Amino acid sequence: MNYTAELIAVGTEILLGNIANTDAQDLSQTLSALGIDVYHHTVVGDNPQRLREALTIARDRADIIITTGGLGPTYDDMTKQTVAETFGRKLVYHPEQAERIEAMFRGRRHGMKMTENNLLQAWLPEGCTVFENSCGTAPGCGFAEKGVHVLMLPGPPRECRAMIRTGVVPYLSGLTGAGIFSRTLYIIGMGESAVEYALHDLMLEMTNPTLAPYAKEGYCLLRLTAKAPSREVADAMMAPALARIYDILGDVIYGEDTGEIEFALVPMLREKGITAATAESCTGGLVAKMLTDVPGSSAVLRGGFVTYTDEAKQSLLGISGELLAEKGAVCREVALAMAENAAARLGADLGIGTTGVAGPDSDERGNPVGLVYIGLYYRGQTWCRELHMHADRERVRLMTALTALDMARRAVLALPIRE
């Protein structure tokens, strides 16, 4: 059976724009990975009548309803009571949850005392599956009523995220009698529309496993999902599709289940014993920052220079004053010199140099916003990419850093680097 879901977020603060509804994002991503279609997102304020109306509508058009928020102990936390009334379930007291709540307060520092209204959180719909809250006091739960599954989760993102993992995924996986298993391929240098176009025929013919592309900031990913009784069976089901995907897309795939490109690059450099150095102008240290976001990067990154001015490029990197006067800082020759000199001065195998115009205005030589040169040095070889981006300052910097890391990956793996 193909299940459809509706998400209902409860909270006036969301409607007012005081907080972002990150719970919906986390849930939608999880449900997509489980092969469950999300057709509607609804947000209602802390009002029982409006929530009752939203639940009634959702009950008629979704197989799964998931609410977030409104499970706390205060007067405006009315989700549980309203859901129970709408679906004809009475609330029953769970003494084990009351004890857990009391224990959490006893274990807290600063002498915080529990007030009696906190025990309201121990009342849950009769016959429900309780979802333990590892990060807070309010438990969640799930139950089925006349073919509709209703799940209630706390609103605080940290609590909701943990409960999705420990409560929602096991509950929903049990509906099909099989597990849901995924492989995620990470792609750089090819946009979502191009990826979808290249894989269109393959995606149309697939039913189990299924394949879907997702656009991210600066890269995209492909999620291959199979329903199977075990990981081993799922892997066997996904293997032919994986092979075809790699055949079609080739080296734009930089990792599998890895995350952002730095989390693929740093372990690779570390495994191969390759050290790196950076020299940055327009990215202002972003390349080095991304590398050091990865645990274990101290074995890879020797150091970096942020040389925002011509004087800094000369004094710290030894860039020729004549070159800067003749060509300006934004040019191929300077980018290559930055990469080579950074590697030489820090004794690294690999050097990255970035120089360009991030904006919002063109530079003193009239170079347009989005013109960037990325220099790369690797064990005696050099490459330079010239980028022309129509984007704001933040995106110019991000795309430059991502492209630089991908160039490093390609150099180390002896893959072609487009210049």
Side-chain angles (χ1 to χ4, degrees):
M1 175 178 177
N2 292 324
Y3 289 91
T4 63
E6 178 158 347
L7 309 183
I8 301 178
V10 182
T12 302
E13 66 274 19
I14 299 175
L15 288 175
L16 295 176
N18 293 334
I19 63 172
N21 187 12
T22 59
D23 293 341
Q25 180 183 26
D26 293 334
L27 278 166
S28 289
Q29 291 174 349
T30 299
L31 294 171
S32 176
L34 292 172
I36 296 170
D37 296 319
V38 180
Y39 286 169
H40 299 92
H41 282 200
T42 301
V43 180
V44 297
D46 300 309
N47 180 284
Q49 180 58 35
R50 286 193 284 274
L51 176 56
R52 193 175 295 110
E53 292 170 358
L55 289 166
T56 301
I57 293 170
R59 182 174 56 188
D60 294 335
R61 65 186 184 187
D63 306 304
I64 299 166
I65 301 171
I66 303 179
T67 68
T68 55
L71 300 185
T74 58
Y75 75 94
D76 59 345
D77 291 314
M78 27 57 68
T79 298
K80 209 165 30 181
Q81 293 85 345
T82 307
V83 169
E85 291 170 5
T86 303
F87 286 89
R89 293 224 172 187
K90 66 178 182 179
L91 296 175
V92 297
Y93 186 67
H94 286 245
E96 73 283 359
Q97 290 302 317
E99 171 56 31
R100 182 187 62 81
I101 293 167
E102 291 173 340
M104 287 194 70
F105 276 92
R106 288 195 300 269
R108 286 178 173 175
R109 299 178 181 178
H110 312 302
M112 183 182 292
K113 294 183 179 180
M114 187 190 79
T115 54
E116 286 301 312
N117 59 346
N118 280 279
L119 294 181
L120 293 173
Q121 297 167 112
W123 291 80
L124 298 166
E126 186 176 27
C128 70
T129 299
V130 179
F131 301 150
E132 296 289 346
N133 190 332
S134 60
C135 305
T137 55
C141 66
F143 64 86
E145 188 67 41
K146 296 181 180 179
V148 178
H149 293 269
V150 183
L151 286 71
M152 289 183 279
L153 309 179
R158 180 166 171 264
E159 297 179 32
C160 185
R161 197 169 294 124
M163 198 173 289
I164 289 171
R165 185 176 63 254
T166 60
V168 173
V169 171
Y171 182 97
L172 295 180
S173 295
L175 296 183
T176 62
I180 308 295
F181 304 93
S182 296
R183 287 277 184 261
T184 303
L185 303 180
Y186 288 82
I187 296 162
I188 193 165
M190 191 174 187
E192 181 192 21
S193 59
V195 170
E196 195 278 337
Y197 184 81
L199 298 174
H200 182 73
D201 292 342
L202 176 60
M203 287 191 289
L204 285 180
E205 69 186 56
M206 295 175 66
T207 54
N208 186 21
T210 58
L211 182 65
Y214 299 91
K216 298 294 181 180
E217 189 68 25
Y219 66 99
C220 67
L221 58 84
L222 281 169
R223 183 167 288 126
L224 184 63
T225 303
K227 296 180 181 179
S230 68
R231 164 59 73 179
E232 291 73 19
V233 174
D235 285 344
M237 292 169 61
M238 290 187 283
L242 277 173
R244 289 182 64 183
I245 293 167
Y246 277 101
D247 284 344
I248 294 170
L249 298 184
D251 58 25
V252 297
I253 301 172
Y254 69 77
E256 188 174 321
D257 298 326
T258 53
E260 290 83 356
I261 190 168
E262 58 267 30
F263 288 90
L265 177 62
V266 169
M268 181 177 69
L269 297 180
R270 187 174 182 180
E271 180 183 346
K272 295 178 179 292
I274 297 169
T275 56
T278 62
E280 304 181 61
S281 183
C282 61
T283 47
L286 181 58
V287 176
K289 183 266 180 190
M290 292 169 69
L291 291 172
T292 55
D293 281 344
V294 184
S297 57
S298 58
V300 171
L301 185 64
R302 285 287 179 88
F305 303 88
V306 176
T307 54
Y308 225 55
T309 65
D310 287 0
E311 292 77 14
K313 291 178 177 67
Q314 292 180 69
S315 61
L316 296 176
L317 292 172
I319 307 296
S320 164
E322 290 77 10
L323 173 60
L324 290 166
E326 178 187 353
K327 298 277 191 176
V330 181
C331 68
R332 179 179 300 272
E333 292 82 357
V334 169
L336 288 170
M338 291 172 69
E340 291 184 70
N341 292 8
R345 296 202 168 198
L346 293 173
D349 303 300
L350 184 149
I352 294 171
T354 65
T355 181
V357 185
D361 303 311
S362 57
D363 68 6
E364 65 280 358
R365 288 180 174 252
N367 289 314
V369 173
L371 173 63
V372 172
Y373 293 92
I374 305 170
L376 181 73
Y377 166 87
Y378 178 58
R379 292 179 174 174
Q381 291 183 280
T382 59
W383 300 262
C384 184
R385 282 202 65 177
E386 178 180 334
L387 305 181
H388 296 263
M389 292 173 276
H390 299 282
D392 61 23
R393 180 179 179 83
E394 182 179 356
R395 185 163 177 81
V396 167
R397 286 158 47 87
L398 175 62
M399 293 305 299
T400 299
L402 289 172
T403 303
L405 296 180
D406 186 46
M407 289 173 65
R409 172 186 75 97
R410 288 177 168 276
V412 170
L413 295 177
L415 298 173
I417 298 176
R418 191 175 65 210
E419 297 197 52

